[in-house]
Amino acid sequence: MHMHSLAEDVPQAITNVLSTHKWRARKQLIDSVFAEDVQFWHLFHDCKNRRELFGVYQMWGAYNFWIDVKYQRVIPDKQRLQVVVDLEETTRVWWAPHTWILIPLRLNLNVILDLQEEANGELIFTRQADHIFWVESLLEINPILTLWVGPAFMKYIRPIAGSIYAQIGNAIYARISDAPGHAKPIKAQEVGFANMETDLQKAISVAYGGNAFARWNMSQSMYADDAEFIHTFFTVNGKHNIFGAHNLWISLMRKSEAKIQRLVCAESQDLVLVDLEQRYWPYLWWPYLWWPEWAPLAIWVHVILTLEDAHTIKVRSL
């Protein structure tokens, strides 16, 4: 196989590597699309070359009767030669008891692929990183294995939790803004993103590390009125409630900060992937009661931003 298109050939190559059960065919395919010194990171292994990567795929293929791949989104970035795909992988592992009663295991994965262009114009993979969304996988797309409790949680409990979360955050803000000596928030003069990289970094720094008034102004300028914020454990609708959710979370912290680790922009410019490293110093985390300089808690977050073009560009969903 030869890869030339980021949007079409790259997902097809990954599908072929996973779905084939002929080891010679898989070996030939991997040799043609992966660099010799390719890196392959996964929660359970870290490969440093193509030979090790082939061994991992070969073992995973041997574990399964059958593997199917369904792509939820593909984000190609020509400028950085990166492709990020969110996919649903359906597996039938032969040694798992549920497989023998015809219940497959479905996994939500985020796969990050770095590529390089060869002299002949073909593309090859230089790095692959697989991240499994365990909570979504167990609660959302495996209803039988969770006795339908998972889908019920995702559909009914998340909106209720998000509403409560946002109301508390907005109440905290209302109390602060009415307190004597506090400056009132001003209406943001700039709306949307003029430069994606610099403006997005500023917005994220404010959302996860700024003061409440700066967060309010950011939410009003960067989100559409009907924006939707989808989190693993809650969902929030409307930019006012999105602000409340952010405000409550930050109010629980002594200090917080966020740094962009990866930014991938789709060719259509209406979809952006941001991988964040967030650091938190919570009030109620017991080590800080005795050691304030204790190392912070670190969380890695995978964020998908859907954008819309009106007279400006605004974040529509997160």
Side-chain angles (χ1 to χ4, degrees):
M1 180 178 181
H2 304 287
M3 296 192 300
H4 298 279
S5 169
L6 292 177
E8 298 177 3
D9 294 341
V10 168
Q12 188 60 50
I14 297 300
T15 299
N16 292 346
V17 170
L18 283 169
S19 60
T20 183
H21 281 277
K22 298 179 179 179
W23 75 268
R24 290 186 184 276
R26 180 183 283 120
K27 179 70 165 59
Q28 292 174 356
L29 177 60
I30 287 177
D31 287 346
S32 66
V33 298
F34 285 93
E36 179 66 35
D37 58 347
V38 63
Q39 298 180 7
F40 182 20
W41 185 91
H42 188 277
L43 177 63
F44 302 117
H45 56 74
D46 188 6
C47 301
K48 301 298 184 182
N49 54 61
R50 189 167 61 199
R51 184 173 181 272
E52 293 179 355
L53 178 141
F54 168 70
V56 168
Y57 272 118
Q58 193 68 3
M59 287 297 294
W60 184 236
Y63 285 155
N64 285 271
F65 289 122
W66 175 69
I67 299 175
D68 184 42
V69 179
K70 179 181 178 182
Y71 291 96
Q72 299 166 335
R73 71 173 55 84
V74 178
I75 308 177
D77 189 335
K78 279 189 174 181
Q79 181 179 355
R80 298 174 179 84
L81 277 182
Q82 283 186 322
V83 178
V84 177
V85 296
D86 287 333
L87 59 88
E88 179 182 314
E89 182 179 352
T90 302
T91 66
R92 287 176 170 82
V93 181
W94 59 264
W95 44 260
H98 55 78
T99 299
W100 295 95
I101 55 175
L102 304 181
I103 301 176
L105 175 65
R106 295 183 175 91
L107 298 173
N108 264 345
L109 283 88
N110 165 247
V111 182
I112 302 167
L113 300 156
D114 295 339
L115 300 98
Q116 71 180 23
E117 187 173 359
E118 299 289 88
N120 58 6
E122 296 180 2
L123 300 170
I124 60 171
F125 298 122
T126 58
R127 184 177 184 273
Q128 176 178 337
D130 290 1
H131 304 270
I132 302 175
F133 298 139
W134 291 104
V135 175
E136 291 87 343
S137 297
L138 295 176
L139 294 183
E140 189 170 17
I141 60 176
N142 290 285
I144 299 178
L145 295 180
T146 59
L147 301 178
W148 280 272
V149 174
F153 169 83
M154 303 295 276
K155 184 176 181 180
Y156 300 109
I157 304 301
R158 284 200 308 171
I160 296 173
S163 177
I164 296 172
Y165 202 48
Q167 289 182 34
I168 296 174
N170 283 321
I172 293 173
Y173 176 70
R175 184 179 181 120
I176 294 175
S177 60
D178 288 339
H182 282 271
K184 300 297 179 182
I186 59 174
K187 184 177 181 180
Q189 300 298 315
E190 297 182 1
V191 179
F193 298 116
N195 181 285
M196 183 59 65
E197 294 195 28
T198 57
D199 291 350
L200 190 56
Q201 178 63 71
K202 291 178 182 177
I204 288 173
S205 298
V206 170
Y208 295 100
N211 60 54
F213 301 121
R215 281 195 297 277
W216 169 263
N217 292 331
M218 184 277 296
S219 67
Q220 299 307 298
S221 64
M222 296 300 181
Y223 288 96
D225 292 337
D226 59 344
E228 184 179 18
F229 182 20
I230 302 173
H231 188 273
T232 302
F233 300 114
F234 64 86
T235 58
V236 178
N237 293 301
K239 61 184 180 183
H240 185 68
N241 290 328
I242 292 175
F243 161 76
H246 277 297
N247 199 51
L248 174 59
W249 179 246
I250 300 304
S251 298
L252 299 175
M253 308 297 162
R254 297 174 184 267
K255 177 185 175 183
S256 63
E257 59 186 32
K259 181 180 180 181
I260 294 178
Q261 296 293 333
R262 181 179 293 102
L263 178 67
V264 181
C265 300
E267 296 176 12
S268 58
Q269 295 296 313
D270 62 351
L271 202 63
V272 177
L273 173 138
V274 187
D275 282 337
L276 297 177
E277 179 187 351
Q278 299 179 18
R279 295 177 178 266
Y280 298 108
W281 290 259
Y283 281 110
L284 301 179
W285 182 237
W286 66 266
Y288 299 118
L289 299 178
W290 291 275
W291 303 287
E293 300 304 320
W294 192 278
L297 300 176
I299 304 175
W300 286 77
V301 183
H302 177 70
V303 182
I304 295 292
L305 301 173
T306 306
L307 309 179
E308 68 174 359
D309 262 327
H311 62 288
T312 56
I313 301 177
K314 286 189 175 182
V315 176
R316 185 172 183 81
S317 64
L318 180 60

